[in-house]
Amino acid sequence: MRAFREAVEAGDLDAVEALLAENVVFTSPVVFKPYEGKAITAAILNAVVKVFQDFRYVSELSSEDGRDHALVFSTRVGERALDGCDFIHLDENGLIDRFMVMVRPLSAAQALAAEMGARFEEIAKEAEARTRVAAS
């Protein structure tokens, strides 16, 4: 988990993407249906770093077997302070195969939903381009 946390904190999205399993399932705090696959997850995370301001991890919890992690974070979306947690599961190869984000308070979640929604066409295009590159 150290590599993931360091990559996120450094803004190194290529390193973050390298830690994602091809079959990763990303569960958004503001959308009902999970997103499946490395390309869409990487595109979403790329957009999130543009939306979150003053992002920092403040705490980390790990399971005894080292495959489940909870990374508590603090950030802002516009003028809204937001607290959240990344719940991450690693597969047998040490890659992230489940990534769920929870955030609070509701007003910050709504601000996040609005910002990400405004970018979703761009996110979908980026995911499609990543899928084409991976297939070639």
Side-chain angles (χ1 to χ4, degrees):
M1 197 48 26
R2 180 183 195 140
F4 173 80
R5 184 173 176 168
E6 288 176 354
V8 169
E9 290 173 338
D12 186 349
L13 296 174
D14 291 333
V16 170
E17 183 176 0
L19 296 169
L20 300 174
E22 289 297 327
N23 65 338
V24 63
V25 175
F26 179 82
T27 304
S28 165
V30 296
V31 178
F32 177 73
K33 184 179 178 201
Y35 297 97
E36 297 182 19
K38 186 175 185 173
I40 188 67
T41 300
I44 289 168
L45 295 175
N46 189 35
V48 166
V49 300
K50 297 171 185 166
V51 171
F52 283 171
Q53 301 159 357
D54 303 323
F55 179 91
R56 67 188 184 288
Y57 283 118
V58 296
S59 183
E60 181 176 342
L61 305 167
S62 298
S63 64
E64 286 186 28
D65 67 2
R67 292 184 65 185
D68 289 290
H69 303 272
L71 299 170
V72 180
F73 62 87
S74 180
T75 190
R76 285 185 307 106
V77 176
E79 296 301 313
R80 299 283 181 190
L82 183 146
D83 295 309
C85 190
D86 293 336
F87 293 96
I88 296 172
H89 181 267
L90 305 178
D91 67 12
E92 62 279 351
N93 299 312
L95 296 175
I96 298 168
D97 64 351
R98 290 194 313 259
F99 192 132
M100 179 175 65
V101 181
M102 305 290 282
V103 298
R104 63 155 310 277
L106 178 58
S107 61
Q110 291 168 329
L112 175 61
E115 288 291 330
M116 292 299 289
R119 291 171 167 74
F120 205 79
E121 186 174 324
E122 178 184 321
I123 292 168
K125 286 179 183 176
E126 181 181 336
E128 186 178 312
R130 288 174 182 271
T131 300
R132 280 195 304 269
V133 168
S136 58

